[in-house]
Amino acid sequence: AQVAAPKVDLSGYTRVRQELVAPPFAPKHEQVATGGPKIVEIRMETTEVLLTVDEDTGASIWALTYNGSVPGPLIIVHQDDYVELTLSNPAASQMEHNIDFHASSGALGGGGLTHVYPGEETVLRFKATRPGVFTYHCAPGGAMIPYHVTHGMNGTLMVLPRDGLKDADGNPLRYDTIAYIGEQDFYLPMDENGDYKTYEVAGEDFADSVEAMRTLTPTHSVFNGSVGALTGENAFKAKVGDTVLMVHNQANRDSRPHLIGGHGDHVWENGKFANPPQKDQETWFIRGGSAGAAMYTFLQPGVYAYVNHNLIEAALLGATAHFVVDGAWDNALMEQVTPPHVVET
Amino acid sequence: AQVAAPKVDLSGYTRVRQELVAPPFAPKHEQVATGGPKIVEIRMETTEVLLTVDEDTGASIWALTYNGSVPGPLIIVHQDDYVELTLSNPAASQMEHNIDFHASSGALGGGGLTHVYPGEETVLRFKATRPGVFTYHCAPGGAMIPYHVTHGMNGTLMVLPRDGLKDADGNPLRYDTIAYIGEQDFYLPMDENGDYKTYEVAGEDFADSVEAMRTLTPTHSVFNGSVGALTGENAFKAKVGDTVLMVHNQANRDSRPHLIGGHGDHVWENGKFANPPQKDQETWFIRGGSAGAAMYTFLQPGVYAYVNHNLIEAALLGATAHFVVDGAWDNALMEQVTPPHVVET
Amino acid sequence: AQVAAPKVDLSGYTRVRQELVAPPFAPKHEQVATGGPKIVEIRMETTEVLLTVDEDTGASIWALTYNGSVPGPLIIVHQDDYVELTLSNPAASQMEHNIDFHASSGALGGGGLTHVYPGEETVLRFKATRPGVFTYHCAPGGAMIPYHVTHGMNGTLMVLPRDGLKDADGNPLRYDTIAYIGEQDFYLPMDENGDYKTYEVAGEDFADSVEAMRTLTPTHSVFNGSVGALTGENAFKAKVGDTVLMVHNQANRDSRPHLIGGHGDHVWENGKFANPPQKDQETWFIRGGSAGAAMYTFLQPGVYAYVNHNLIEAALLGATAHFVVDGAWDNALMEQVTPPHVVET
Ligand SMILES: [Cu+2]
Ligand SMILES: [Cu+2]
Ligand SMILES: [Cu+2]
Ligand SMILES: [Cu+2]
Ligand SMILES: [Cu+2]
Ligand SMILES: [Cu+2]
Ligand SMILES: [Mg+2]
Ligand SMILES: [Mg+2]
Ligand SMILES: [Mg+2]
Ligand SMILES: [Mg+2]
Ligand SMILES: [Mg+2]
Ligand SMILES: [Mg+2]
Ligand SMILES: [Mg+2]
Ligand SMILES: [Mg+2]
Ligand SMILES: [Mg+2]
């Protein structure tokens, strides 16, 4: 059917190129669209990289990626723009890859039209008709689907309303910065001594991984590819009064983000901007196979931890990021009236 | 208290009989009710059947069922109708059964009034006062509750608003067809070699099943009773422009349905029609112990996979169904601009 | 920054003392606030107690608690009130504790300002600016966070709107009673025979507990600290026509409450009262790291079971409570038309 489908005339559309950047950063973009719908050209490479998941234990994985990062880059367009992706599989790859955009319609989200073997590339174009944050991921078929997705091959496409985000009452919402966080569940095979196994090349861990995945219990659940990728030197920086849009990608397993010391002022828990956001959230739930978004304006200085609030997953499996916020403390919101001290008895 | 309760006069109600059909099909019904509330008579038998869960491995279970299918049949009434069920336990059964309708009020959802031993039957009538899709299931008491429910003994009652479904703005929504999907988590006992155990009669696996259930990790999570029950020859058929109402029953464990290549145009994630549906969903969450509903109009031809988007559960545990959709491809929505080809280097 | 922060003048505020009571009960409170915002003084002690989790098996834990109960006491204030907590760690304690209030803003929810060692106390004051039910919990840092939280050290603060609760259309909602339920996931270490291990003092189980937590599979998931804590003699009592507000605390792991034989008439699934409640719910989802609230008016007499509707967790892991409701049966809602009887064949 597709071969015979009438060509569509897009000659009236402006073409723009979006330079993708590595997470947790967002590409240059407008919050409110200028002019009419455009064709937004992007390029991604399906690179296979050896990734250290936890430096303390040496746990590693041959990650399958878009552009070398876990998660893949954040793509941002406006509703009714076209996304035109060139997807290229380097000749050095071991494996076939493709891409399924949850934001798109038909052909398994584009997965059916984009299978590229090592050394191949393809171009897919689709219209972003629904506003929201949406997962994209590799889906080569069968057991290879969870295998690629749990090896890091997923990311987020954000489709903004042309006139920008709005609160539940229809008032405009603007952010100062985006924090783009992908939580990745890894199922790393262990040997008989409980040590993580290592492999020579991507794909070599397939049989072991299938066995590990069947437990449905990840060995790691990390933000942006590894334990500590968003803490210490890599913590997010902000100042009191800044509004951050936290975009959370969750390609396979559920999560429940919470910002310790903060809130979700406006939360699109299932990530679709045609619906009113929820207010005042303490913890929001991201369904496995979706992206969600939460907006917060910092009220106090200090360190905030953004965690999967299954605290076992936050503290033992790796799902912790930090925001370090500068500014003046407000005793009207919180005050340490009496510091800890020994009580005479 | 009940013995002395005043009899209720239902002499003004019309009686109609609803012939239940096997899933994934829906019984004959109106989307908008004609006339006033009725008494809808149905009949279900609690049959125990040996079911092959996965042909590839020979995994099987003595399923406990309503009318022989997993899930039990879809029942459809309108708000304020009465459901009048005759529940019959065949003399050949091994076990006691009953039924708890989440849509009903009191007596443990009817569970307290419907315990039938092999060879018995009973009649229960209740008013469907709340619109939505609701789980029903067997609940004989104690550990027998999860045992019966995870042996397939559950299904959905849909209570339509008398004037039909509506979108978030109050506009009427109509569907062309219903796809009724029950996701079943099975906890199949294995022997010391990792082979699935087999049993002579229903109930014989009780002690082993209790042990397997305690892991909280299913060996299978399948749609409509077995791997492949809704794929291949059994795939749903539709055409571009058709609107499908996907009714998803989840009696015990959570799920997160996603339609690969499609969306939820209107989603009642927790399944209750007095609340506005959510728009544009990529993935929706069905709480264990509930049913949900999602409506989609197909925009492109081809194969769509309906999955639990924990992709391990979809690909390795069985939670995959297919829709095969006929019609004309629309390049304005998606186009393969350049097919995969080798890049000269 | 905090040292230099300007002092805030609260001289115009009335001070009131709230006497906390043990769960499942609520402290004395108004549903609609009288007068302006107040400073509500409370006191909690971080006591470590040996708790029998299941009498049948003798499973026990050195619980880490606020005021000796699991969950900690329910605190109730109104929006814009200040909470002023004195937190005291008895000299007899083994461990350091602190408190993170999800309702508060800054300093890790107060966690950064309240670390008390055995024999110490501290006073923290914060403004409750957002209405809803919110989790509080201990968070000493690192692996100690999930360790303390899964040893029972968590509870709920309810911040009522000053003018009380409202339905989705803005109409007032009032309750006759509160049922305060904390579901606790315990990960009890077992010895090589599968028997639960016992320990001499709090904290001695740390290494074993970390190993058990990594499975992400609790051995118990109980309401109010132990199997049967809210059944039998301890069941909730009510009568037909009573409206109950069920406050459900879930500090670490997700749950899906369901009231067998009843519903959620009005449900704030993620617990924040600035958002319209959902109607007619059969089952609602409480995200790990949050509290939720559901309101129901009993329509029939009898026993209702409030369960985590993963029925394995309800029946085998302990997550079951009972409501016993007095009053007259209503055959217009449900009738046992024909009791179970043997069918002649
Ligand atoms: Cu791939
Ligand atoms: Cu997907
Ligand atoms: Cu049964
Ligand atoms: Cu139930
Ligand atoms: Cu503590
Ligand atoms: Cu917390
Ligand atoms: Mg480490
Ligand atoms: Mg292929
Ligand atoms: Mg700002
Ligand atoms: Mg198979
Ligand atoms: Mg019985
Ligand atoms: Mg149509
Ligand atoms: Mg027991
Ligand atoms: Mg400390
Ligand atoms: Mg009342």
Side-chain angles (χ1 to χ4, degrees):
Chain A
Q2 197 197 349
V3 173
K7 282 287 172 190
V8 55
D9 178 15
L10 299 178
S11 57
Y13 281 76
T14 306
R15 286 183 168 269
V16 296
R17 176 147 199 93
Q18 181 162 106
E19 297 301 331
L20 301 179
V21 298
F25 302 106
K28 206 159 165 284
H29 68 284
E30 300 177 315
Q31 294 189 44
V32 174
T34 309
K38 298 173 179 59
I39 299 171
V40 180
E41 300 174 357
I42 58 172
R43 178 183 174 84
M44 294 205 293
E45 298 206 347
T46 59
T47 47
E48 303 163 351
V49 295
L50 183 59
L51 177 74
T52 299
V53 174
D54 187 347
E55 287 191 351
D56 290 355
T57 61
S60 68
I61 191 169
W62 275 96
L64 309 177
T65 81
Y66 296 106
N67 282 5
S69 63
V70 177
L74 178 63
I75 305 161
I76 305 182
V77 301
H78 285 88
Q79 189 173 9
D80 294 332
D81 284 347
Y82 280 93
V83 175
E84 192 173 288
L85 165 72
T86 300
L87 185 68
S88 178
N89 191 347
S93 289
Q94 299 292 320
M95 311 189 83
E96 170 196 11
H97 303 287
N98 71 344
I99 193 162
D100 165 2
F101 283 101
H102 282 198
S104 75
S105 297
L108 301 169
L113 303 177
T114 53
H115 286 260
V116 279
Y117 288 86
E120 291 187 345
E121 72 175 41
T122 186
V123 181
L124 178 79
R125 184 173 59 224
F126 66 90
K127 195 170 186 174
T129 57
R130 300 167 198 258
V133 284
F134 293 88
T135 288
Y136 63 79
H137 62 81
C138 190
M144 280 294 175
I145 302 176
Y147 175 81
H148 284 236
V149 171
T150 64
H151 279 62
M153 206 150 185
N154 59 81
T156 302
L157 166 61
M158 179 159 73
V159 182
L160 287 167
R162 298 203 74 77
D163 55 351
L165 297 173
K166 296 183 202 66
D167 71 13
D169 302 313
N171 303 307
L173 290 173
R174 300 293 174 263
Y175 47 84
D176 296 305
T177 185
I178 288 178
Y180 169 45
I181 297 162
E183 181 170 347
Q184 183 63 58
D185 49 327
F186 288 126
Y187 304 80
L188 299 190
M190 281 185 244
D191 64 21
E192 57 282 359
N193 302 320
D195 296 321
Y196 292 112
K197 297 179 75 168
T198 57
Y199 300 89
E200 294 298 310
V201 291
E204 197 193 356
D205 66 346
F206 178 71
D208 291 344
S209 293
V210 168
E211 199 179 331
M213 287 191 292
R214 271 189 185 279
T215 65
L216 299 177
T217 308
T219 53
H220 300 79
S221 197
V222 296
F223 292 153
N224 292 24
S226 60
V227 177
L230 299 174
T231 59
E233 288 186 358
N234 302 314
F236 295 106
K237 311 290 186 294
K239 44 186 201 311
V240 170
D242 279 358
T243 297
V244 61
L245 183 70
M246 297 166 277
V247 174
H248 189 114
N249 193 63
Q250 200 71 32
N252 186 65
R253 198 161 167 273
D254 308 323
S255 187
R256 50 209 69 66
H258 169 84
L259 182 64
I260 305 182
H263 294 91
D265 289 329
H266 305 279
V267 178
W268 297 268
E269 196 183 61
N270 37 24
K272 307 307 167 277
F273 298 139
N275 305 285
Q278 296 274 300
K279 297 169 194 160
D280 293 339
Q281 301 298 288
E282 63 180 319
T283 301
W284 42 101
F285 190 73
I286 311 294
R287 293 122 184 88
S290 76
M295 188 176 272
Y296 184 61
T297 302
F298 290 101
L299 302 176
Q300 298 277 35
V303 175
Y304 294 74
Y306 179 93
V307 297
N308 172 340
H309 206 297
N310 181 312
L311 296 165
I312 302 170
E313 304 186 29
L316 302 184
L317 271 57
T320 299
H322 286 162
F323 289 82
V324 179
V325 179
D326 275 335
W329 183 263
D330 181 1
N331 274 321
L333 279 176
M334 178 182 283
E335 183 174 352
Q336 191 188 40
V337 179
T338 310
H341 62 284
V342 175
V343 182
E344 303 304 322
T345 53
Chain B
Q2 197 197 351
V3 173
K7 281 287 171 189
V8 55
D9 178 14
L10 300 177
S11 58
Y13 282 76
T14 307
R15 288 181 166 271
V16 296
R17 176 148 200 91
Q18 180 162 105
E19 297 302 330
L20 300 178
V21 298
F25 301 107
K28 204 158 167 288
H29 68 283
E30 298 177 315
Q31 294 189 44
V32 174
T34 308
K38 297 174 178 59
I39 299 170
V40 180
E41 300 173 356
I42 58 173
R43 180 184 173 84
M44 295 205 292
E45 299 206 345
T46 59
T47 48
E48 303 164 350
V49 296
L50 182 60
L51 176 74
T52 300
V53 174
D54 187 346
E55 287 190 351
D56 290 356
T57 61
S60 69
I61 191 169
W62 275 95
L64 309 177
T65 80
Y66 296 105
N67 282 4
S69 64
V70 177
L74 178 63
I75 305 161
I76 305 181
V77 302
H78 286 89
Q79 189 173 9
D80 293 331
D81 284 348
Y82 281 92
V83 175
E84 192 174 289
L85 165 72
T86 300
L87 185 68
S88 179
N89 191 346
S93 289
Q94 299 291 320
M95 311 188 83
E96 170 196 10
H97 303 287
N98 71 345
I99 193 160
D100 165 1
F101 282 101
H102 282 198
S104 75
S105 297
L108 301 170
L113 303 177
T114 54
H115 285 260
V116 279
Y117 288 86
E120 292 187 344
E121 73 177 38
T122 187
V123 181
L124 178 78
R125 183 173 59 223
F126 66 91
K127 195 171 184 172
T129 57
R130 300 167 197 258
V133 284
F134 293 86
T135 288
Y136 63 80
H137 62 82
C138 191
M144 279 295 175
I145 302 176
Y147 176 82
H148 283 236
V149 171
T150 64
H151 279 62
M153 206 152 185
N154 59 81
T156 302
L157 165 61
M158 179 160 72
V159 183
L160 286 167
R162 297 204 74 77
D163 56 351
L165 297 173
K166 296 183 201 65
D167 70 15
D169 304 312
N171 303 307
L173 289 173
R174 299 294 173 261
Y175 47 84
D176 296 304
T177 184
I178 287 177
Y180 169 46
I181 297 163
E183 181 170 347
Q184 183 64 58
D185 48 327
F186 287 125
Y187 304 79
L188 300 190
M190 281 184 246
D191 63 21
E192 57 281 359
N193 302 319
D195 296 322
Y196 292 112
K197 296 179 75 166
T198 57
Y199 301 89
E200 293 299 309
V201 292
E204 195 193 358
D205 66 346
F206 178 71
D208 292 344
S209 293
V210 168
E211 199 180 330
M213 286 191 292
R214 271 190 184 279
T215 66
L216 299 176
T217 307
T219 53
H220 301 79
S221 196
V222 297
F223 292 153
N224 291 23
S226 61
V227 177
L230 298 174
T231 59
E233 288 186 359
N234 302 314
F236 295 106
K237 311 290 186 294
K239 44 187 202 309
V240 170
D242 279 358
T243 297
V244 61
L245 183 70
M246 296 167 277
V247 173
H248 189 113
N249 192 64
Q250 200 71 30
N252 185 65
R253 198 163 169 271
D254 308 323
S255 187
R256 50 209 67 68
H258 168 85
L259 182 63
I260 305 182
H263 294 91
D265 289 328
H266 305 280
V267 178
W268 297 268
E269 197 183 61
N270 35 23
K272 306 307 166 277
F273 298 139
N275 306 285
Q278 296 273 302
K279 298 170 195 160
D280 294 338
Q281 301 298 288
E282 62 180 321
T283 300
W284 44 102
F285 190 73
I286 311 294
R287 293 121 184 88
S290 77
M295 188 177 273
Y296 185 60
T297 302
F298 290 102
L299 301 175
Q300 297 277 36
V303 175
Y304 293 74
Y306 180 93
V307 296
N308 172 341
H309 205 296
N310 181 313
L311 296 165
I312 302 170
E313 303 186 30
L316 302 184
L317 270 59
T320 300
H322 286 163
F323 289 82
V324 179
V325 179
D326 276 334
W329 183 263
D330 181 0
N331 274 323
L333 279 176
M334 179 181 283
E335 184 175 352
Q336 191 189 41
V337 180
T338 311
H341 63 283
V342 175
V343 183
E344 303 304 325
T345 53
Chain C
Q2 197 198 350
V3 173
K7 282 287 172 190
V8 56
D9 177 14
L10 300 177
S11 58
Y13 282 75
T14 307
R15 287 183 168 270
V16 295
R17 176 148 199 93
Q18 181 161 106
E19 297 302 332
L20 301 179
V21 299
F25 301 106
K28 206 160 166 285
H29 68 282
E30 300 177 315
Q31 295 189 42
V32 175
T34 308
K38 298 173 180 57
I39 299 170
V40 180
E41 299 174 357
I42 57 173
R43 179 184 173 85
M44 296 205 292
E45 299 205 347
T46 59
T47 48
E48 303 164 350
V49 296
L50 182 60
L51 177 74
T52 299
V53 175
D54 187 347
E55 286 191 352
D56 289 356
T57 62
S60 69
I61 191 168
W62 276 96
L64 309 178
T65 79
Y66 296 107
N67 284 2
S69 64
V70 178
L74 178 63
I75 305 160
I76 305 182
V77 301
H78 286 88
Q79 190 173 9
D80 294 331
D81 284 348
Y82 280 92
V83 175
E84 192 173 287
L85 166 71
T86 300
L87 186 68
S88 178
N89 191 347
S93 289
Q94 299 291 322
M95 311 189 82
E96 170 196 11
H97 303 287
N98 71 346
I99 193 160
D100 164 2
F101 283 101
H102 282 198
S104 75
S105 296
L108 302 169
L113 304 176
T114 53
H115 285 260
V116 280
Y117 288 85
E120 292 187 343
E121 73 177 39
T122 186
V123 181
L124 178 79
R125 184 174 59 225
F126 66 91
K127 194 170 185 174
T129 56
R130 301 167 197 259
V133 284
F134 293 87
T135 288
Y136 64 78
H137 62 80
C138 191
M144 280 294 175
I145 302 175
Y147 176 81
H148 284 235
V149 171
T150 64
H151 280 62
M153 206 154 185
N154 59 79
T156 301
L157 165 62
M158 178 159 74
V159 182
L160 286 168
R162 297 202 76 77
D163 56 351
L165 297 173
K166 297 183 201 67
D167 72 14
D169 302 313
N171 303 307
L173 290 173
R174 299 295 173 260
Y175 47 85
D176 296 305
T177 185
I178 288 178
Y180 168 46
I181 297 162
E183 181 170 347
Q184 183 64 57
D185 48 327
F186 287 126
Y187 304 79
L188 299 190
M190 280 184 245
D191 63 21
E192 57 281 0
N193 301 320
D195 295 322
Y196 291 112
K197 295 178 77 167
T198 57
Y199 300 89
E200 293 298 309
V201 291
E204 196 192 358
D205 66 346
F206 178 72
D208 292 345
S209 292
V210 167
E211 198 179 330
M213 286 190 292
R214 272 190 185 280
T215 66
L216 299 176
T217 307
T219 53
H220 300 79
S221 196
V222 297
F223 292 153
N224 292 24
S226 61
V227 177
L230 299 174
T231 59
E233 288 186 359
N234 303 313
F236 296 106
K237 311 289 185 294
K239 44 187 201 313
V240 170
D242 279 358
T243 297
V244 61
L245 182 70
M246 297 167 275
V247 174
H248 189 114
N249 193 63
Q250 200 71 31
N252 186 65
R253 197 162 168 271
D254 308 323
S255 186
R256 51 211 65 66
H258 168 86
L259 183 63
I260 305 182
H263 294 92
D265 288 329
H266 305 280
V267 179
W268 297 268
E269 197 184 59
N270 36 22
K272 307 308 166 276
F273 298 139
N275 305 285
Q278 296 273 302
K279 297 170 194 159
D280 293 339
Q281 301 299 288
E282 64 180 318
T283 300
W284 43 101
F285 190 73
I286 311 295
R287 293 120 185 89
S290 76
M295 188 177 271
Y296 184 61
T297 302
F298 290 102
L299 302 176
Q300 298 276 36
V303 175
Y304 294 73
Y306 179 92
V307 297
N308 171 341
H309 205 295
N310 180 312
L311 296 164
I312 302 170
E313 303 186 31
L316 302 183
L317 270 59
T320 300
H322 285 162
F323 289 82
V324 179
V325 179
D326 274 335
W329 183 264
D330 181 0
N331 275 323
L333 279 175
M334 178 182 283
E335 184 174 352
Q336 191 188 41
V337 180
T338 311
H341 63 282
V342 175
V343 183
E344 304 302 325
T345 52

